[in-house]
Amino acid sequence: MVDRSEHISLVDLVQSIVLIVLEALLTFLLKSDQESKKLAQNLIKQQALVELRTSLPSMVIFVTFTSRGVLLDAKKPARPIDAVISASFKDLLHSFMTAPASSLKKIDIDGPIELIDDLRVLMGSFNLQQIINHWIQSDWFKSLLLPTKDIDENGEPIAHHGRASSRHRQLLKKLNEQQILVDQMSLQAKENAFVIHQLNRQIKMLIVAGIVLMGCLIASLIGTLIYFLT
């Protein structure tokens, strides 16, 4: 019969190995994708510590953003938690794969508003689909498609027999610039959507507060009238 302490040690060992593999993968993706790295700068500067809670299965993982990458730990660090993310494992997996809006809406984040906005914007970009698209549009990937080692003084590949023509290179350059512009507009749209969401929430809170205040004033006026009339 396997001793209970040995079983617990085996579970801890497997958990540690899984966290190490995930930590290496997330760090590689964050450092290799310039868009996600740029969006995570505020989190890295703050060295934000995020508590990640999942259900089905139930797990608690502590994520720290550092200049070296993403650090994962199953034990709570000594420092205070900056934010708490709660979601089902399925929604987290979907958000990491393709970041569908239906899954992102189900992810609950508790913490300062600025930190919540940074995390949501990062989750909208830090997924395999977006990262692969960024890789495809990158210069190093396009250089793999050009079978030439000769470049001119501007760093552009020189056309040879059967190779990309100057017109083709210019077209690729324009397409790359347009894709960068589209990505920037998409990120700006996401940031604007979060700002609008926050404003709508504040407006709703003001409306509720106004209704409560108006009700108190009306009740006070009615009470005053009743007092004087009686």
Side-chain angles (χ1 to χ4, degrees), residues 34-35 38 133-134 136-139 142 172-188:
Q34 295 300 320
E35 293 295 333
K38 180 174 64 176
N133 288 337
H134 295 160
I136 293 175
Q137 297 300 326
S138 62
D139 294 334
K142 290 180 179 180
L172 287 177
K173 185 176 180 180
K174 291 181 179 179
L175 290 175
N176 187 32
E177 292 175 351
Q178 292 177 358
Q179 183 61 39
I180 292 174
L181 180 60
V182 170
D183 290 341
Q184 291 176 349
M185 293 175 64
S186 177
L187 292 175
Q188 186 64 39

Side-chain angles (χ1 to χ4, degrees), residues 138-193:
S138 62
D139 294 334
W140 69 267
F141 182 84
K142 290 180 179 180
S143 65
L144 298 177
L145 302 179
L146 297 176
T148 179
K149 297 182 179 179
D150 299 330
I151 57 176
D152 57 19
E153 63 275 7
N154 296 323
E156 297 289 342
I158 299 176
H160 293 282
H161 297 290
R163 298 177 180 178
S165 63
S166 176
R167 183 179 179 182
H168 187 200
R169 294 198 307 273
Q170 293 177 359
L171 179 60
L172 287 177
K173 185 176 180 180
K174 291 181 179 179
L175 290 175
N176 187 32
E177 292 175 351
Q178 292 177 358
Q179 183 61 39
I180 292 174
L181 180 60
V182 170
D183 290 341
Q184 291 176 349
M185 293 175 64
S186 177
L187 292 175
Q188 186 64 39
K190 292 179 180 179
E191 293 177 355
N192 292 338

Side-chain angles (χ1 to χ4, degrees), residues 7-222:
H7 176 71
I8 294 176
S9 300
L10 180 61
V11 171
D12 291 339
L13 177 61
V14 173
Q15 186 182 48
S16 298
I17 293 175
V18 171
L19 289 181
I20 291 173
V21 173
L22 285 176
E23 183 178 289
L25 174 63
L26 295 176
T27 298
F28 168 74
L29 293 176
L30 184 61
K31 288 188 174 182
S32 61
D33 183 43
Q34 295 300 320
E35 293 295 333
S36 298
K37 186 177 180 180
K38 180 174 64 176
L39 294 175
Q41 283 304 308
N42 290 335
L43 299 172
I44 294 174
K45 289 179 181 178
Q46 299 176 27
Q47 292 191 347
L49 175 59
V50 179
E51 180 179 347
L52 178 61
R53 301 176 182 174
T54 66
S55 58
L56 301 174
S58 177
M59 294 185 299
V60 177
I61 301 174
F62 299 92
V63 184
T64 307
F65 292 87
T66 68
S67 57
R68 295 178 298 170
V70 179
L71 303 180
L72 303 180
D73 198 340
K75 296 181 180 180
K76 181 179 179 181
R79 50 173 294 196
I81 303 297
D82 297 314
V84 178
I85 298 177
S86 303
S88 66
F89 183 79
K90 182 182 70 173
D91 290 331
L92 281 178
L93 183 61
H94 286 171
S95 65
F96 179 69
M97 297 297 293
T98 58
S102 57
S103 296
L104 290 176
K105 290 180 180 179
K106 295 179 181 178
I107 298 177
D108 182 61
I109 304 178
D110 185 21
I113 295 178
E114 296 79 6
L115 190 58
I116 292 176
D117 291 342
D118 290 338
L119 288 171
R120 288 203 178 276
V121 172
L122 178 61
M123 285 190 295
S125 176
F126 189 67
N127 58 82
L128 290 181
Q129 182 177 359
Q130 288 286 353
I131 291 174
I132 292 175
N133 288 337
H134 295 160
W135 284 351
I136 293 175
Q137 297 300 326
S138 62
D139 294 334
W140 69 267
F141 182 84
K142 290 180 179 180
S143 65
L144 298 177
L145 302 179
L146 297 176
T148 179
K149 297 182 179 179
D150 299 330
I151 57 176
D152 57 19
E153 63 275 7
N154 296 323
E156 297 289 342
I158 299 176
H160 293 282
H161 297 290
R163 298 177 180 178
S165 63
S166 176
R167 183 179 179 182
H168 187 200
R169 294 198 307 273
Q170 293 177 359
L171 179 60
L172 287 177
K173 185 176 180 180
K174 291 181 179 179
L175 290 175
N176 187 32
E177 292 175 351
Q178 292 177 358
Q179 183 61 39
I180 292 174
L181 180 60
V182 170
D183 290 341
Q184 291 176 349
M185 293 175 64
S186 177
L187 292 175
Q188 186 64 39
K190 292 179 180 179
E191 293 177 355
N192 292 338
F194 283 120
V195 172
I196 293 173
H197 175 72
Q198 294 298 328
L199 290 176
N200 288 334
R201 187 171 65 177
Q202 292 176 2
I203 290 173
K204 290 180 180 178
M205 293 176 63
L206 290 175
I207 292 174
V208 172
I211 292 174
V212 172
L213 180 60
M214 184 65 66
C216 293
L217 291 175
I218 293 174
S220 177
L221 180 60
I222 293 174

